Amino acid sequence: MMESVVEISENAFLLNHPHIVAQNYCNNFWDKSVRAAGLNNVLFDINAPYDHRNAPDVSSKKCKRMKTVGILDEVTQKVLQNHALLQTKLQTMDTLKETTNAKALEFVEHFNSATNYDGERCFRGQNASNCTVINEMDGETYLIPPSVKFINSSIDRFTEYVDEDEKFDLILLDPPWWNKYIRRVKAANYKSGYRMLTNEDIKEIPLERHLHPDTFVVVWCTNAPTHIDAITKDFFPKWGLELVGTWYWIKITKGGQPVCKFNEPNKKQPYERVFIGLPGGSSLAKSFPTERFLYSVPSAIHSHKPPLYDLFTKKFLALGATCLELFARSLHTGCTSYGMEVLKLQNKRLYELAMEDNMRVVAYNNK
């Protein structure tokens, strides 16, 4: 069985998103008829670059190297060169059974059309036990992993739900950045879009109250210059943080290709940035890796990021670290999750369950 996180060079890692998630659901169900669970593998059936996803036959043999477009900036050139050096190590399958992404895209389309999630509803909950429980709410069924807290609410009510004195070892944010693509998606299908925030809205989150001297703050970011500047010049100074690392998440197909071409500035890229901050004067700053390249086959669900908890809790944080995730759409053991769709990706329709009776696997494919 492939490891969840594989170090493929001194500063590069291959992340197996479904395996990381499955670690939350192994032999720990309250219902003893369920042995384990994991995200349906069809979500990660990304076989072709997005540019070619409608092509009838795009194989790894016919597409050995993606061409670039225009003049690349320094960061894009650096990411491209790292990918070129490691491409042979990134191929997760020798022979691809499929040559398109059709199954993954159809699965997500069916999920979005079949499910209903009221993001405007405010509620909170927790599972303080050591077992995964399966609960129903509003006609949908959700998997709730062990040792989690969750709040479904807009971020403007953050101070109502998170005690001012509560400190965390790790705070992770995946902000709903304001952008044209999401406006188009939301106009076409209101179920697949989400409420966007301005940079000023995000800056006003009082994260500084929840830091101790060595709290890591991790922020996912697009490649838009306005968002990059907002984090480094506005958010981090306001929250009392120093930038200690900039990591890159490179999205690849199962054959190891980038999901789109490396492009000129202000165009779509196959990578996103992850900014890491620590409070000024933190004892951890000097030993923290300033740069890493994180590769993974992305989920077909828009903006569904691979969990980064293992990269921090196994190397930089003590056992039992307290974590807070903002703008969350899923739960992770040991974490408090806060977002307007905090349970959306916990929906049983997205998971395969391994049952105890004759070890059969049941996939809930949007039924």
Side-chain angles (χ1 to χ4, degrees), residues 61-119:
K61 291 182 180 180
K62 292 185 178 182
C63 189
K64 290 186 176 181
R65 185 177 294 273
M66 293 288 290
K67 295 180 180 179
T68 61
V69 176
I71 300 175
L72 307 185
D73 61 29
E74 183 179 353
V75 170
T76 302
Q77 186 67 38
K78 176 171 57 178
V79 177
L80 182 151
Q81 290 174 350
N82 186 269
H83 174 268
L85 288 171
L86 299 173
Q87 185 167 343
T88 58
K89 298 182 180 180
L90 296 172
Q91 296 175 351
T92 58
M93 293 180 63
D94 295 330
T95 303
L96 298 178
K97 296 179 181 179
E98 299 287 341
T99 57
T100 72
N101 306 331
K103 290 184 178 180
L105 296 173
E106 290 171 4
F107 183 91
V108 173
E109 183 180 357
H110 292 159
F111 173 74
N112 286 333
S113 62
T115 57
N116 180 44
Y117 194 95
D118 184 4

